[in-house]
Amino acid sequence: MKWFMSSWKKRLPGKRDREFTRKRIVMRRIGRFALIGFLIVIVVGGIWIRGVLNPEHRFQKAVLNPLTIPNSEISLVPVGKTQSDGTPNNSQNTNELALPPTTPPPTSTPAATDKKTSSFNVVLIGTDTWGGESSRADTIMVAHVMPDQRKVNIVSVPRDTRVYVQNVGYTKINHAHIVGESKGGNQQGTLTLIQAVSDFMNIPIHHYIKTNFSGVRDFVDSIGGIDMVIDQDVTITPEITIKKGEQHLDGVHALYLARERHSTPDGDFSRQEEQFNIVRAVANKLLSPEHLPDLAGLLLHEKKDIIDTSFSDSDLLSLAWLFKGIASQDFTYEQIPGKNSFAPDPLVGTKVYYWSADSEEVKSLTERLFTD
């Protein structure tokens, strides 16, 4: 009997057992509330992210205010004409940049630009530096992005193209960056260059993306290299040749290809086309469905050190969302028509080689590729 009563008492829930049971019930309720809260955060966060990154709201129905608008009174001056735009009268045989006296640019008559648009223009800039030192623009491409059509038109502007640079006169377009940089640092170099592009092509510029030699190399490596079809053997040095055919290029060899112009049949124009092919290969890889989930992390990790751009991170993610799976045929590519020439340069102080663009053909090209 004593044994039975003792066993029965042991089975009765004591104060400690009741407290443990209450705690367990409370923890279960907290767990349920936490799970519900977590799901609400995910749903609300997803709706917010979709609203913020939705390309239709961010680009397709947005009011895009350009960084620069073209100066309508600037035009190409035929080679051989007397310049009154800062060109020194006495030619000096020097390769050093010496800024001429400042002369005011022609009066601009900007048109209204704060209207809704379905497309925008981006200047892609590659500077001729490894980082830190003053630089010229070694690569200049202008892209017309059409979100509603999911297409991109790209035009290469030769670095020797003769254009008007404000406060300098008519000079090589690649000088514009170092002219601005010498007056106001990196950002002013960018703005001076994109203003020269805007004036030359008579289009507004809404965004820019800029990098340098090390940026190209490191970015291509960061995405695991790119796949390209090379049209002909490209000899970099007697020991280094990029072979014709399908190739997988790491950052070093992509940069070799982007810079090489001496061993290609059309010199700098072959180089421009290879630069476009590199840009297209990078876009094809980044925007492929299997790599798209990695893009956000890549931007956060790499953008600060490799890319200087007016796009925000959310802009780039939105564009990636919009253009995911873009195909090669969705890119259109052309080069600036013109001819070889020589003319005085106001910075160098002597006659130099220029690519003199055909103004009528440039106007036609712009109307075809940069007008919706």
Short mmCIF file of all heavy atoms in Angstrom, two decimals, residues 259-307:
data_model
loop_
_atom_site.label_atom_id
_atom_site.label_comp_id
_atom_site.label_asym_id
_atom_site.label_seq_id
_atom_site.Cartn_x
_atom_site.Cartn_y
_atom_site.Cartn_z
N ARG A 259 42.55 45.67 -76.14
CA ARG A 259 43.56 46.71 -76.38
C ARG A 259 44.30 46.54 -77.70
O ARG A 259 44.87 47.51 -78.22
CB ARG A 259 44.60 46.70 -75.25
CG ARG A 259 44.04 47.03 -73.88
CD ARG A 259 45.12 47.07 -72.84
NE ARG A 259 46.11 48.13 -73.13
CZ ARG A 259 47.24 48.29 -72.44
NH1 ARG A 259 47.53 47.47 -71.45
NH2 ARG A 259 48.07 49.25 -72.76
N GLU A 260 44.29 45.36 -78.29
CA GLU A 260 45.13 45.08 -79.46
C GLU A 260 44.55 45.68 -80.74
O GLU A 260 43.40 45.47 -81.07
CB GLU A 260 45.29 43.57 -79.63
CG GLU A 260 46.14 43.16 -80.82
CD GLU A 260 47.53 43.81 -80.81
OE1 GLU A 260 48.13 43.92 -79.72
OE2 GLU A 260 47.99 44.19 -81.90
N ARG A 261 45.39 46.43 -81.46
CA ARG A 261 44.95 47.00 -82.74
C ARG A 261 46.01 46.91 -83.83
O ARG A 261 45.74 47.25 -84.98
CB ARG A 261 44.55 48.47 -82.54
CG ARG A 261 45.64 49.35 -81.98
CD ARG A 261 45.06 50.68 -81.52
NE ARG A 261 46.04 51.49 -80.80
CZ ARG A 261 46.76 52.47 -81.32
NH1 ARG A 261 46.61 52.76 -82.61
NH2 ARG A 261 47.61 53.14 -80.60
N HIS A 262 47.21 46.46 -83.48
CA HIS A 262 48.31 46.46 -84.47
C HIS A 262 48.31 45.20 -85.33
O HIS A 262 48.76 45.24 -86.48
CB HIS A 262 49.65 46.62 -83.76
CG HIS A 262 49.78 47.92 -83.01
ND1 HIS A 262 49.83 49.14 -83.66
CD2 HIS A 262 49.84 48.18 -81.68
CE1 HIS A 262 49.95 50.10 -82.76
NE2 HIS A 262 49.94 49.55 -81.55
N SER A 263 47.82 44.09 -84.79
CA SER A 263 47.88 42.84 -85.55
C SER A 263 46.57 42.49 -86.24
O SER A 263 46.44 41.43 -86.83
CB SER A 263 48.29 41.69 -84.62
OG SER A 263 47.29 41.44 -83.65
N THR A 264 45.59 43.39 -86.16
CA THR A 264 44.29 43.13 -86.79
C THR A 264 44.22 43.85 -88.13
O THR A 264 44.85 44.90 -88.32
CB THR A 264 43.15 43.60 -85.88
OG1 THR A 264 43.36 44.97 -85.52
CG2 THR A 264 43.10 42.77 -84.61
N PRO A 265 43.44 43.33 -89.09
CA PRO A 265 43.44 43.88 -90.45
C PRO A 265 42.95 45.33 -90.53
O PRO A 265 43.44 46.10 -91.35
CB PRO A 265 42.51 42.94 -91.23
CG PRO A 265 41.70 42.24 -90.19
CD PRO A 265 42.59 42.13 -89.00
N ASP A 266 41.99 45.71 -89.68
CA ASP A 266 41.44 47.06 -89.75
C ASP A 266 41.88 47.93 -88.58
O ASP A 266 41.24 48.94 -88.27
CB ASP A 266 39.92 47.00 -89.81
CG ASP A 266 39.42 46.36 -91.09
OD1 ASP A 266 40.04 46.61 -92.14
OD2 ASP A 266 38.44 45.60 -91.04
N GLY A 267 42.96 47.54 -87.91
CA GLY A 267 43.51 48.37 -86.86
C GLY A 267 42.53 48.67 -85.75
O GLY A 267 41.91 47.78 -85.18
N ASP A 268 42.36 49.96 -85.46
CA ASP A 268 41.51 50.37 -84.35
C ASP A 268 40.05 49.99 -84.57
O ASP A 268 39.32 49.78 -83.59
CB ASP A 268 41.63 51.88 -84.13
CG ASP A 268 41.00 52.33 -82.83
OD1 ASP A 268 41.35 51.75 -81.78
OD2 ASP A 268 40.13 53.22 -82.85
N PHE A 269 39.62 49.87 -85.82
CA PHE A 269 38.21 49.53 -86.06
C PHE A 269 37.94 48.05 -85.76
O PHE A 269 36.86 47.70 -85.30
CB PHE A 269 37.82 49.90 -87.49
CG PHE A 269 37.78 51.39 -87.70
CD1 PHE A 269 38.89 52.07 -88.15
CD2 PHE A 269 36.63 52.09 -87.38
CE1 PHE A 269 38.86 53.45 -88.30
CE2 PHE A 269 36.59 53.48 -87.53
CZ PHE A 269 37.71 54.16 -87.98
N SER A 270 38.94 47.19 -86.01
CA SER A 270 38.81 45.80 -85.56
C SER A 270 38.78 45.73 -84.04
O SER A 270 38.02 44.96 -83.45
CB SER A 270 39.98 44.97 -86.09
OG SER A 270 39.93 44.85 -87.50
N ARG A 271 39.61 46.54 -83.41
CA ARG A 271 39.64 46.59 -81.95
C ARG A 271 38.30 47.05 -81.39
O ARG A 271 37.80 46.48 -80.41
CB ARG A 271 40.75 47.55 -81.50
CG ARG A 271 40.98 47.56 -80.00
CD ARG A 271 42.08 48.53 -79.66
NE ARG A 271 41.58 49.89 -79.67
CZ ARG A 271 41.56 50.69 -78.62
NH1 ARG A 271 42.03 50.26 -77.46
NH2 ARG A 271 41.10 51.92 -78.71
N GLN A 272 37.68 48.05 -82.00
CA GLN A 272 36.37 48.52 -81.54
C GLN A 272 35.33 47.40 -81.61
O GLN A 272 34.52 47.23 -80.70
CB GLN A 272 35.91 49.70 -82.40
CG GLN A 272 36.69 50.98 -82.23
CD GLN A 272 36.30 52.01 -83.26
OE1 GLN A 272 35.12 52.20 -83.54
NE2 GLN A 272 37.28 52.67 -83.85
N GLU A 273 35.38 46.63 -82.69
CA GLU A 273 34.41 45.55 -82.83
C GLU A 273 34.63 44.47 -81.78
O GLU A 273 33.68 43.91 -81.23
CB GLU A 273 34.48 44.95 -84.24
CG GLU A 273 33.38 43.96 -84.50
CD GLU A 273 33.15 43.69 -85.98
OE1 GLU A 273 33.87 44.28 -86.81
OE2 GLU A 273 32.23 42.92 -86.29
N GLU A 274 35.90 44.18 -81.48
CA GLU A 274 36.19 43.19 -80.44
C GLU A 274 35.75 43.71 -79.07
O GLU A 274 35.28 42.94 -78.23
CB GLU A 274 37.68 42.84 -80.41
CG GLU A 274 38.18 42.10 -81.65
CD GLU A 274 37.53 40.74 -81.86
OE1 GLU A 274 36.66 40.34 -81.06
OE2 GLU A 274 37.88 40.06 -82.84
N GLN A 275 35.88 45.00 -78.84
CA GLN A 275 35.40 45.58 -77.58
C GLN A 275 33.90 45.40 -77.46
O GLN A 275 33.39 45.06 -76.38
CB GLN A 275 35.78 47.05 -77.51
CG GLN A 275 37.27 47.29 -77.31
CD GLN A 275 37.66 48.74 -77.51
OE1 GLN A 275 36.86 49.57 -77.96
NE2 GLN A 275 38.90 49.08 -77.17
N PHE A 276 33.16 45.61 -78.55
CA PHE A 276 31.73 45.37 -78.53
C PHE A 276 31.44 43.90 -78.25
O PHE A 276 30.54 43.57 -77.46
CB PHE A 276 31.09 45.77 -79.86
CG PHE A 276 29.73 45.17 -80.09
CD1 PHE A 276 28.63 45.61 -79.36
CD2 PHE A 276 29.56 44.15 -81.00
CE1 PHE A 276 27.38 45.05 -79.55
CE2 PHE A 276 28.31 43.58 -81.20
CZ PHE A 276 27.22 44.03 -80.48
N ASN A 277 32.20 43.00 -78.89
CA ASN A 277 31.99 41.56 -78.67
C ASN A 277 32.23 41.18 -77.22
O ASN A 277 31.54 40.31 -76.67
CB ASN A 277 32.90 40.75 -79.59
CG ASN A 277 32.49 40.84 -81.05
OD1 ASN A 277 31.33 41.08 -81.36
ND2 ASN A 277 33.45 40.69 -81.95
N ILE A 278 33.20 41.83 -76.58
CA ILE A 278 33.47 41.56 -75.16
C ILE A 278 32.29 42.03 -74.31
O ILE A 278 31.83 41.32 -73.41
CB ILE A 278 34.77 42.25 -74.73
CG1 ILE A 278 35.97 41.55 -75.38
CG2 ILE A 278 34.93 42.22 -73.21
CD1 ILE A 278 37.29 42.29 -75.21
N VAL A 279 31.79 43.24 -74.59
CA VAL A 279 30.63 43.76 -73.85
C VAL A 279 29.44 42.83 -74.02
O VAL A 279 28.74 42.51 -73.05
CB VAL A 279 30.29 45.18 -74.34
CG1 VAL A 279 28.93 45.63 -73.78
CG2 VAL A 279 31.37 46.17 -73.92
N ARG A 280 29.20 42.37 -75.23
CA ARG A 280 28.07 41.47 -75.48
C ARG A 280 28.27 40.13 -74.77
O ARG A 280 27.30 39.58 -74.20
CB ARG A 280 27.91 41.25 -76.98
CG ARG A 280 26.72 40.37 -77.35
CD ARG A 280 26.49 40.35 -78.85
NE ARG A 280 27.68 39.88 -79.58
CZ ARG A 280 27.76 39.82 -80.89
NH1 ARG A 280 26.73 40.22 -81.63
NH2 ARG A 280 28.85 39.38 -81.48
N ALA A 281 29.48 39.62 -74.75
CA ALA A 281 29.75 38.36 -74.08
C ALA A 281 29.54 38.48 -72.57
O ALA A 281 28.99 37.57 -71.92
CB ALA A 281 31.17 37.89 -74.37
N VAL A 282 29.96 39.60 -71.99
CA VAL A 282 29.73 39.83 -70.56
C VAL A 282 28.24 39.90 -70.28
O VAL A 282 27.74 39.29 -69.32
CB VAL A 282 30.44 41.13 -70.11
CG1 VAL A 282 29.97 41.53 -68.71
CG2 VAL A 282 31.95 40.96 -70.13
N ALA A 283 27.49 40.64 -71.11
CA ALA A 283 26.05 40.76 -70.91
C ALA A 283 25.36 39.41 -71.05
O ALA A 283 24.49 39.06 -70.23
CB ALA A 283 25.47 41.75 -71.92
N ASN A 284 25.75 38.64 -72.05
CA ASN A 284 25.13 37.32 -72.25
C ASN A 284 25.34 36.42 -71.04
O ASN A 284 24.44 35.66 -70.66
CB ASN A 284 25.70 36.66 -73.51
CG ASN A 284 25.14 37.25 -74.78
OD1 ASN A 284 24.07 37.85 -74.78
ND2 ASN A 284 25.86 37.10 -75.88
N LYS A 285 26.52 36.52 -70.43
CA LYS A 285 26.79 35.65 -69.28
C LYS A 285 26.06 36.14 -68.04
O LYS A 285 25.43 35.37 -67.33
CB LYS A 285 28.29 35.57 -69.01
CG LYS A 285 28.63 34.63 -67.87
CD LYS A 285 30.06 34.18 -67.89
CE LYS A 285 30.29 33.07 -66.87
NZ LYS A 285 31.69 32.58 -66.90
N LEU A 286 26.16 37.44 -67.76
CA LEU A 286 25.53 37.98 -66.56
C LEU A 286 24.01 37.83 -66.59
O LEU A 286 23.39 37.62 -65.56
CB LEU A 286 25.88 39.46 -66.41
CG LEU A 286 27.27 39.81 -65.87
CD1 LEU A 286 27.44 41.32 -65.84
CD2 LEU A 286 27.49 39.23 -64.49
N LEU A 287 23.42 37.96 -67.78
CA LEU A 287 21.96 37.97 -67.88
C LEU A 287 21.37 36.61 -68.22
O LEU A 287 20.17 36.51 -68.47
CB LEU A 287 21.53 39.00 -68.94
CG LEU A 287 21.99 40.44 -68.65
CD1 LEU A 287 21.57 41.37 -69.77
CD2 LEU A 287 21.44 40.92 -67.32
N SER A 288 22.20 35.58 -68.25
CA SER A 288 21.66 34.24 -68.46
C SER A 288 20.91 33.81 -67.19
O SER A 288 21.31 34.18 -66.08
CB SER A 288 22.79 33.25 -68.77
OG SER A 288 23.72 33.20 -67.69
N PRO A 289 19.83 33.07 -67.34
CA PRO A 289 19.01 32.71 -66.17
C PRO A 289 19.80 32.04 -65.05
O PRO A 289 19.52 32.27 -63.88
CB PRO A 289 17.96 31.76 -66.78
CG PRO A 289 17.85 32.18 -68.21
CD PRO A 289 19.24 32.59 -68.60
N GLU A 290 20.80 31.21 -65.40
CA GLU A 290 21.53 30.50 -64.35
C GLU A 290 22.45 31.40 -63.55
O GLU A 290 22.83 31.08 -62.41
CB GLU A 290 22.33 29.33 -64.95
CG GLU A 290 23.41 29.72 -65.94
CD GLU A 290 22.91 29.75 -67.37
OE1 GLU A 290 21.69 29.93 -67.55
OE2 GLU A 290 23.74 29.60 -68.28
N HIS A 291 22.86 32.55 -64.11
CA HIS A 291 23.76 33.46 -63.40
C HIS A 291 23.04 34.65 -62.77
O HIS A 291 23.63 35.35 -61.95
CB HIS A 291 24.85 33.98 -64.34
CG HIS A 291 25.87 32.95 -64.70
ND1 HIS A 291 25.81 32.23 -65.87
CD2 HIS A 291 26.97 32.50 -64.04
CE1 HIS A 291 26.83 31.40 -65.93
NE2 HIS A 291 27.53 31.54 -64.84
N LEU A 292 21.79 34.86 -63.14
CA LEU A 292 21.07 36.02 -62.64
C LEU A 292 20.97 36.07 -61.11
O LEU A 292 21.13 37.14 -60.52
CB LEU A 292 19.66 36.07 -63.26
CG LEU A 292 19.01 37.44 -63.34
CD1 LEU A 292 19.86 38.41 -64.16
CD2 LEU A 292 17.62 37.32 -63.97
N PRO A 293 20.75 34.93 -60.42
CA PRO A 293 20.68 34.99 -58.95
C PRO A 293 21.98 35.46 -58.30
O PRO A 293 21.96 35.94 -57.17
CB PRO A 293 20.36 33.54 -58.56
CG PRO A 293 19.70 32.96 -59.76
CD PRO A 293 20.38 33.59 -60.93
N ASP A 294 23.12 35.31 -58.99
CA ASP A 294 24.40 35.71 -58.42
C ASP A 294 24.71 37.19 -58.64
O ASP A 294 25.68 37.72 -58.08
CB ASP A 294 25.54 34.90 -59.05
CG ASP A 294 25.33 33.40 -58.88
OD1 ASP A 294 24.78 33.01 -57.83
OD2 ASP A 294 25.72 32.63 -59.78
N LEU A 295 23.88 37.87 -59.44
CA LEU A 295 24.22 39.23 -59.85
C LEU A 295 24.21 40.21 -58.68
O LEU A 295 25.08 41.08 -58.58
CB LEU A 295 23.24 39.70 -60.93
CG LEU A 295 23.56 41.05 -61.58
CD1 LEU A 295 24.95 41.01 -62.21
CD2 LEU A 295 22.53 41.40 -62.63
N ALA A 296 23.24 40.08 -57.78
CA ALA A 296 23.16 41.02 -56.65
C ALA A 296 24.42 40.95 -55.79
O ALA A 296 25.01 41.99 -55.46
CB ALA A 296 21.92 40.71 -55.81
N GLY A 297 24.85 39.75 -55.46
CA GLY A 297 26.06 39.60 -54.67
C GLY A 297 27.29 40.11 -55.40
O GLY A 297 28.18 40.72 -54.80
N LEU A 298 27.33 39.89 -56.70
CA LEU A 298 28.47 40.35 -57.50
C LEU A 298 28.54 41.87 -57.50
O LEU A 298 29.62 42.45 -57.34
CB LEU A 298 28.32 39.83 -58.93
CG LEU A 298 29.42 40.26 -59.91
CD1 LEU A 298 30.74 39.62 -59.54
CD2 LEU A 298 29.03 39.89 -61.34
N LEU A 299 27.40 42.52 -57.65
CA LEU A 299 27.38 43.99 -57.65
C LEU A 299 27.86 44.55 -56.33
O LEU A 299 28.66 45.48 -56.27
CB LEU A 299 25.97 44.50 -57.97
CG LEU A 299 25.49 44.30 -59.40
CD1 LEU A 299 24.03 44.72 -59.52
CD2 LEU A 299 26.35 45.10 -60.36
N LEU A 300 27.36 43.99 -55.24
CA LEU A 300 27.74 44.49 -53.92
C LEU A 300 29.22 44.27 -53.66
O LEU A 300 29.88 45.09 -53.01
CB LEU A 300 26.90 43.79 -52.85
CG LEU A 300 25.40 44.12 -52.85
CD1 LEU A 300 24.68 43.27 -51.83
CD2 LEU A 300 25.17 45.59 -52.56
N HIS A 301 29.75 43.17 -54.16
CA HIS A 301 31.14 42.81 -53.88
C HIS A 301 32.13 43.50 -54.79
O HIS A 301 33.22 43.89 -54.38
CB HIS A 301 31.31 41.29 -53.99
CG HIS A 301 32.66 40.82 -53.56
ND1 HIS A 301 33.69 40.57 -54.47
CD2 HIS A 301 33.18 40.57 -52.34
CE1 HIS A 301 34.76 40.17 -53.82
NE2 HIS A 301 34.48 40.17 -52.53
N GLU A 302 31.75 43.67 -56.07
CA GLU A 302 32.71 44.12 -57.07
C GLU A 302 32.53 45.56 -57.54
O GLU A 302 33.49 46.21 -57.93
CB GLU A 302 32.64 43.20 -58.31
CG GLU A 302 32.88 41.72 -58.03
CD GLU A 302 34.33 41.42 -57.72
OE1 GLU A 302 35.16 42.34 -57.82
OE2 GLU A 302 34.62 40.28 -57.37
N LYS A 303 31.31 46.08 -57.51
CA LYS A 303 31.04 47.35 -58.19
C LYS A 303 31.89 48.49 -57.65
O LYS A 303 32.42 49.31 -58.41
CB LYS A 303 29.57 47.71 -58.10
CG LYS A 303 29.20 48.95 -58.91
CD LYS A 303 27.71 49.12 -58.99
CE LYS A 303 27.15 49.79 -57.77
NZ LYS A 303 27.28 51.23 -57.76
N LYS A 304 32.04 48.57 -56.34
CA LYS A 304 32.72 49.72 -55.74
C LYS A 304 34.16 49.84 -56.22
O LYS A 304 34.66 50.93 -56.46
CB LYS A 304 32.68 49.58 -54.21
CG LYS A 304 33.32 50.76 -53.50
CD LYS A 304 33.20 50.60 -51.99
CE LYS A 304 33.87 51.76 -51.27
NZ LYS A 304 33.79 51.63 -49.80
N ASP A 305 34.85 48.71 -56.36
CA ASP A 305 36.26 48.73 -56.71
C ASP A 305 36.52 48.66 -58.21
O ASP A 305 37.61 49.00 -58.66
CB ASP A 305 36.99 47.56 -56.03
CG ASP A 305 36.94 47.65 -54.51
OD1 ASP A 305 36.99 48.79 -54.01
OD2 ASP A 305 36.82 46.62 -53.85
N ILE A 306 35.55 48.22 -58.99
CA ILE A 306 35.79 47.96 -60.41
C ILE A 306 35.06 48.94 -61.31
O ILE A 306 35.60 49.39 -62.32
CB ILE A 306 35.37 46.51 -60.75
CG1 ILE A 306 36.32 45.53 -60.06
CG2 ILE A 306 35.40 46.27 -62.25
CD1 ILE A 306 35.99 44.08 -60.31
N ILE A 307 33.84 49.32 -60.94
CA ILE A 307 33.00 50.09 -61.85
C ILE A 307 32.61 51.42 -61.22
O ILE A 307 32.19 51.48 -60.07
CB ILE A 307 31.72 49.30 -62.22
CG1 ILE A 307 32.09 48.01 -62.94
CG2 ILE A 307 30.80 50.13 -63.08
CD1 ILE A 307 30.90 47.11 -63.19
#
